[in-house]
Amino acid sequence: ADSSGRSLQQYRQTISKLESEKGAYHPALQQAFLDLGKGYRRQGDYLNAVRAFEKALHISKVNTGLHNLSQVEMIELLINSYAALQDWQALDKYLYHLLWLYRRNYGDDDDRLVPVIERVGRWYMQAYQSHSGGEAVSYLVKADDLYDEAARIIVRQYGEQARQLIGILNSSAIINYHIANNIRDVFLMSDSDIRQAMIPNRRASPYLNEVAVRDYYFDQSFYKGKRSLQRIIDIYAGKLPTAAVDYARALVYQGDLYLSLNRKWNAMKNYKKAYATLLEYGAAADEIDAIFGSPRQVEPFNIPGRELIPDDDSPYVDAVFDVPGNGWPSDIRIVGSRPEDDPALIIRGRHAVAATRYRPRFEQGKPVSTEAVSLHYVFTR
């Protein structure tokens, strides 16, 4: 029984009675199937829950038309339930349906679409984390297109300097970082994986050679991520001097993108400009120190919502190393590990630490070396 004291059997009896007395599409059946589905969901029976919710949605369409916003509650329940079932094909279908319904009611330029677009984009980013290869990146490409749409709506409504753009552009940069990072890794994505991700999403390459195709898509995503962060920088630049610290942080964040994708010269140029900006506008010493006082790991481009959590028995290494002015760890020493004395894990750990990029410590506007930096590196996969 649920909180109202009713059992699933009672819900089914109500439905049977309504169907026999009022017909299969009587409006009261919509709520009856919703209640039944929620009952199944409370018991963790998502398969029967989605069947009930789909029946409720069908009845709603028959009685109120295909475009009525009253359908949103049922679509939301279906999205959450199919996510719990990890049925990504059905989830994709209802995410598209949700967007279609809002576009049909509000048009393509209404800013009420933006939170819906953002939500669907976040679902796609989570789907990326649950897949691999071309299928995974295909979800990122879909999310990227949605955030482009959200940015266009905001610009049309509020202009290029709108603060509402910042979150959208940041998500675009995160997405494009992951697309670029996946595409450049031949162990993560094959040539066929790349084509599977791009071509069905209307992103054809002018090249046939695998190396050229990989370089083309990497460059496309790298430059798009860079441009998204540049637009954030420009928004804060228009609000100087009051936004000096935010402007500097935006420069640093773009620099972190450069460094994480091995564009060291561009990264250092951004860091130096940010440091000079903080000095020029009289930022407090602790604000400067928070950004440049010690080496910082520069890959904060995490997909939000479902970060990988290490298991209690996940393997790890404890490393000590130096961070020179270029931000690439050197003189790496593995000082502990789990399991202990595992040569393969130690080699793996050394490679993992070497691949980690750090924003170096700065003094008087210049990058300087830092010795004996510690890192507890846990392997989550």
Side-chain angles (χ1 to χ4, degrees):
D2 64 16
S3 57
S4 67
R6 300 192 69 191
S7 67
L8 293 175
Q9 180 61 28
Q10 287 173 310
Y11 288 129
R12 287 190 289 263
Q13 288 172 348
T14 298
I15 290 168
S16 179
K17 187 169 186 265
L18 281 168
E19 286 177 333
S20 63
E21 294 179 358
K22 306 289 187 180
Y25 299 107
H26 191 272
L29 280 164
Q30 177 183 322
Q31 187 61 49
F33 275 108
L34 268 178
D35 291 339
L36 177 64
K38 289 175 182 177
Y40 279 126
R41 194 176 65 157
R42 280 189 289 271
Q43 293 188 0
D45 186 351
Y46 292 101
L47 196 57
N48 277 313
V50 295
R51 290 170 180 158
F53 294 146
E54 285 178 337
K55 188 72 175 175
L57 179 60
H58 183 62
I59 293 167
S60 175
K61 289 177 181 178
V62 169
N63 286 289
T64 64
L66 298 177
H67 318 133
N68 197 295
L69 284 173
S70 65
Q71 296 170 24
V72 167
E73 179 190 5
M74 288 157 274
I75 297 170
E76 295 269 10
L77 287 166
L78 283 162
I79 287 170
N80 290 324
S81 299
Y82 275 120
L85 288 168
Q86 295 195 329
D87 184 338
W88 300 104
Q89 186 174 0
L91 177 62
D92 198 15
K93 168 187 169 183
Y94 283 107
L95 289 170
Y96 180 83
H97 191 170
L98 185 68
L99 275 172
W100 175 84
L101 188 62
Y102 275 99
R103 287 183 181 126
R104 182 79 186 196
N105 280 273
Y106 296 145
D108 292 333
D109 296 331
D110 196 302
D111 60 357
R112 285 175 291 184
L113 283 174
V114 172
V116 185
I117 290 171
E118 287 187 278
R119 178 158 181 260
V120 175
R122 285 194 296 272
W123 274 116
Y124 283 147
M125 285 193 275
Q126 291 179 18
Y128 159 74
Q129 292 185 304
S130 300
H131 293 80
S132 61
E135 190 177 14
V137 173
S138 177
Y139 283 111
L140 288 184
V141 176
K142 290 179 181 181
D144 190 36
D145 289 342
L146 286 177
Y147 282 108
D148 283 349
E149 181 184 354
R152 285 193 296 269
I153 291 170
I154 291 170
V155 168
R156 282 195 293 263
Q157 294 286 340
Y158 304 105
E160 290 281 356
Q161 291 292 307
R163 289 187 71 93
Q164 297 97 313
L165 274 173
I166 292 172
I168 298 290
L169 294 170
N170 187 62
S171 292
S172 173
I174 291 171
I175 289 165
N176 280 281
Y177 164 79
H178 283 278
I179 294 174
N181 210 33
N182 277 255
I183 282 172
R184 114 179 131 175
D185 191 332
V186 295
F187 296 105
L188 279 178
M189 293 190 74
S190 67
D191 182 47
S192 62
D193 285 333
I194 294 172
R195 294 178 184 279
Q196 177 191 0
M198 297 297 178
I199 293 174
N201 290 303
R202 304 184 305 280
R203 297 204 181 176
S205 166
Y207 303 104
L208 295 176
N209 175 273
E210 178 180 345
V211 174
V213 167
R214 198 178 291 273
D215 288 346
Y216 172 80
Y217 287 126
F218 174 87
D219 288 343
Q220 291 281 306
S221 292
F222 167 69
Y223 285 111
K224 187 167 184 183
K226 168 187 170 181
R227 287 193 302 271
S228 294
L229 295 180
Q230 186 60 51
R231 290 174 71 181
I232 296 175
I233 292 167
D234 293 342
I235 290 170
Y236 287 126
K239 296 173 172 59
L240 289 172
T242 55
V245 174
D246 288 331
Y247 174 70
R249 285 179 179 146
L251 281 168
V252 166
Y253 194 56
Q254 188 188 54
D256 288 350
L257 176 72
Y258 289 142
L259 194 58
S260 65
L261 294 175
N262 296 332
R263 301 301 201 269
K264 181 180 69 173
W265 184 86
N266 303 80
M268 294 305 161
K269 183 179 176 182
N270 271 45
Y271 296 153
K272 290 174 182 177
K273 185 175 181 179
Y275 195 101
T277 297
L278 292 169
L279 290 179
E280 178 183 356
Y281 290 103
D286 61 339
E287 290 176 320
I288 298 175
D289 193 58
I291 301 172
F292 292 112
S294 61
R296 305 278 181 181
Q297 202 169 336
V298 302
E299 298 190 15
F301 305 101
N302 296 320
I303 298 290
R306 288 180 64 184
E307 290 78 8
L308 292 169
I309 307 298
D311 297 328
D312 290 339
D313 59 351
S314 294
Y316 67 78
V317 294
D318 288 318
V320 176
F321 49 90
D322 300 336
V323 176
N326 64 15
W328 296 17
S330 64
D331 192 19
I332 299 165
R333 291 91 74 193
I334 304 298
V335 297
S337 66
R338 183 175 67 192
E340 294 183 17
D341 302 323
D342 182 337
L345 179 64
I346 289 171
I347 292 171
R348 186 182 173 203
R350 196 184 303 276
H351 284 304
V353 174
T356 305
R357 298 290 173 253
Y358 276 79
R359 183 194 321 144
R361 180 169 58 92
F362 272 66
E363 288 182 359
Q364 299 178 347
K366 295 181 180 179
V368 295
S369 296
T370 305
E371 296 180 351
V373 175
S374 299
L375 177 64
H376 180 69
Y377 193 101
V378 182
F379 294 92
T380 53
R381 299 195 198 198

